[in-house]
Amino acid sequence: MLLHVGGMRSALGLLAVRRACCLARTTHNSPQTLEYKPIKKVMVANRGEIAIRVFRACTELGIRTVAVYSEQDTGQMHRQKADEAYLIGKGLPPVAAYLDIPDIIKVAKENDVDAIHPGYGFLSERSDFAQACVDAGVRFIGPSPDVVRKMGDKVEARSIAIRAGVPVVPGTDGPITCLSEAQEFSNTYGFPIIFKAAYGGGGRGMRVVKEYEELEENYQRAYSEALAAFGNGALFVEKFIERPRHIEVQILGDKYGNVIHLYERDCSIQRRHQKVVEIAPAVQLDPHLRDRLTADSVNLARQVGYENAGTVEFLVDKHGRHYFIEVNSRLQVEHTVTEQVTDVDLVHAQLRVCEGRSLPELGLKQDKIRINGFAIQCRVTTEDPARGFQPDTGRLELSIKLFKKKQK
């Protein structure tokens, strides 16, 4: 659910990028235009809301759309919203179907797909999928495979951040190989510390350790979670920042080295390391801190030659010091709140950048990006408090009754 605070605005604002693009086509005479190759058909290697979001953007830009679906998703809406839809992962469980790279590439090739948008989750941060697209002659709507690989490896991403002069939380230089290395780190930096999966995110493989007696158990649990979720149990260790703000910066890069930021989002309200409320821009954020966060994000992106949309995530401690966490080399669930306050359609920009357009051609220059109002996104989580807040399913009844009562 999306609440936009700051007034409703005309859809004309979101068309500004397209108008600027059309104007630039007639006036831009640099050699960059030689790289332009229009996209005629896009597949979204995903399902549900994000697939529909990308289909909408494609339709607005006159691009034909292709959906893929598992056997269990035959009746899902994203299949109906696309111009074409094809079954993938026949005989596989629902999640496995959307991870079936060979089948997805096969469907794309057989149906003349120009480009694949990975959405978020599933294959969106898999460098082998990005590479498979490139090898098949299909464009991947995102960063290059090499950048996806570097940003997906949290240890390498941390090293890149250090080289770019971006502050990081004290942590191990590489994945640890045994419990004794974690013990050595805690002896040096003290508790609390946090284990993190080296090759994944989303809160899985993440364990906070507050005292020595908890170290071994949490090491084993974090390793098992990382192994099950990402196929690799490698962990690294960091000093745990208590009660921080979680601030992330939206970035956008093109094929020609141009990188801009679209300001920040505050994702501090979380449940089990999963974001629940996202606010753009962050409330009561010191302007000087905002400048440092955005500058560091752009510098880091330039350090790796970042292309397309991405998010640089930071922790901010109680003293106003910020620390780099990771880069999400994809579109985020919460990208919509940034769109609301900047009037920039990020999916349109992703598609145009993939075609070879430069950010200046699209009218996307840093001094033109402005914030107007606030936007808040809230995620509804279904958990049963009677069972220790375990995930649950069922009808939303109480919340609807309370909402109706307040309306009266």
Side-chain angles (χ1 to χ4, degrees):
M1 100 180 96
L2 184 67
L3 172 64
H4 176 231
V5 186
M8 295 296 294
R9 295 196 301 275
S10 168
L12 291 175
L14 289 175
L15 294 174
V17 171
R18 296 203 294 281
R19 288 201 302 268
C21 176
C22 294
L23 179 61
R25 288 182 188 180
T26 61
T27 60
H28 191 77
N29 295 314
S30 83
Q32 292 177 358
T33 55
L34 296 175
E35 298 288 335
Y36 176 69
K37 187 178 179 183
I39 294 173
K40 298 178 180 178
K41 186 185 288 190
V42 167
M43 170 193 285
V44 179
N46 216 299
R47 66 186 296 279
E49 181 272 335
I50 185 55
I52 295 171
R53 167 71 185 92
V54 177
F55 293 155
R56 174 166 62 84
C58 290
T59 300
E60 290 168 348
L61 297 178
I63 298 171
R64 192 166 178 82
T65 57
V66 177
V68 290
Y69 61 93
S70 67
E71 289 178 316
Q72 296 82 1
D73 278 348
T74 299
Q76 287 296 310
M77 187 181 295
H78 78 279
R79 180 189 174 191
Q80 315 302 326
K81 291 288 186 178
D83 296 312
E84 304 171 28
Y86 301 99
L87 176 68
I88 56 170
K90 187 174 182 180
L92 294 176
V95 173
Y98 292 100
L99 298 177
D100 190 342
I101 295 176
D103 206 16
I104 291 171
I105 296 296
K106 178 175 177 286
V107 169
K109 292 290 289 179
E110 288 177 349
N111 295 283
D112 300 318
V113 168
D114 297 311
I116 295 179
H117 195 299
Y120 44 68
F122 292 126
L123 297 169
S124 61
E125 293 181 275
R126 288 270 298 271
S127 61
D128 57 339
F129 179 56
Q131 188 63 56
C133 292
V134 173
D135 293 344
V138 179
R139 279 172 278 179
F140 178 77
I141 302 174
S144 69
D146 186 54
V147 170
V148 175
R149 180 190 61 77
K150 289 177 178 177
M151 296 298 97
D153 181 340
K154 287 186 170 57
V155 176
E156 185 165 358
R158 174 189 173 86
S159 298
I160 293 169
I162 292 171
R163 292 200 299 271
V166 179
V168 298
V169 179
T172 53
D173 294 329
I176 61 175
T177 57
C178 58
L179 177 62
S180 62
E181 291 184 60
Q183 293 169 333
E184 183 179 341
F185 180 87
S186 63
N187 290 336
T188 302
Y189 293 98
F191 292 96
I193 62 173
I194 184 168
F195 290 115
K196 290 184 177 180
Y199 298 102
R204 290 167 294 184
M206 187 179 292
R207 290 279 171 169
V208 176
V209 184
K210 296 185 177 180
E211 53 189 30
Y212 189 84
E213 289 73 21
E214 301 173 354
L215 191 62
E216 183 173 0
E217 179 185 356
N218 281 283
Y219 171 80
Q220 297 295 343
R221 287 190 175 185
Y223 177 86
S224 298
E225 288 175 7
L227 183 63
F230 311 114
N232 191 322
L235 304 170
F236 69 100
V237 189
E238 286 183 347
K239 178 70 177 173
F240 181 65
I241 308 298
E242 297 189 271
R243 300 185 63 84
R245 292 183 73 175
H246 187 143
I247 308 292
E248 61 185 30
V249 176
Q250 178 70 56
I251 56 170
L252 192 61
D254 64 21
K255 298 178 183 294
Y256 313 105
N258 300 301
V259 180
I260 62 170
H261 68 80
L262 290 94
Y263 293 94
E264 80 287 342
R265 300 182 287 260
D266 190 327
C267 305
S268 302
I269 301 176
Q270 300 185 12
R271 171 89 171 127
R272 293 174 177 162
H273 306 296
Q274 298 283 334
K275 300 166 187 173
V276 177
V277 178
E278 295 98 353
I279 306 170
V283 179
Q284 294 184 335
L285 188 67
D286 180 84
H288 297 295
L289 176 56
R290 173 176 286 121
D291 291 343
R292 294 195 298 273
L293 289 166
T294 53
D296 281 347
S297 299
V298 170
N299 289 338
L300 178 56
R302 286 179 177 150
Q303 179 80 18
V304 294
Y306 199 94
E307 174 191 334
N308 220 275
T311 303
V312 185
E313 304 206 12
F314 297 91
L315 294 179
V316 178
D317 69 15
K318 60 184 179 182
H319 303 293
R321 293 187 294 253
H322 68 288
Y323 305 95
F324 168 77
I325 312 174
E326 63 182 355
V327 173
N328 287 307
S329 55
R330 56 174 170 81
L331 197 66
Q332 295 273 80
V333 176
E334 59 271 20
H335 75 278
T336 51
V337 291
T338 293
E339 292 181 322
Q340 289 290 304
V341 299
T342 62
D343 270 344
V344 174
D345 189 311
L346 287 169
V347 183
H348 283 192
Q350 283 192 294
L351 293 164
R352 291 313 194 198
V353 164
C354 187
E355 289 180 320
R357 293 295 185 188
S358 70
L359 295 181
E361 281 185 289
L362 299 176
L364 294 172
K365 297 181 179 180
Q366 193 63 69
D367 60 357
K368 301 295 184 183
I369 306 299
R370 295 283 186 272
I371 293 177
N372 183 13
F374 288 85
I376 304 174
Q377 178 174 293
C378 305
R379 305 189 198 185
V380 177
T381 60
T382 56
E383 297 173 334
D384 186 352
R387 296 193 303 141
F389 291 93
Q390 291 184 15
D392 199 8
T393 59
R395 295 182 61 182
L396 289 175
E397 295 179 342
L398 179 60
S399 59
I400 294 173
K401 290 177 182 178
L402 289 173
F403 176 76
K404 288 180 178 179
K405 184 176 181 181
K406 290 180 179 178
Q407 290 292 90
K408 292 179 181 180

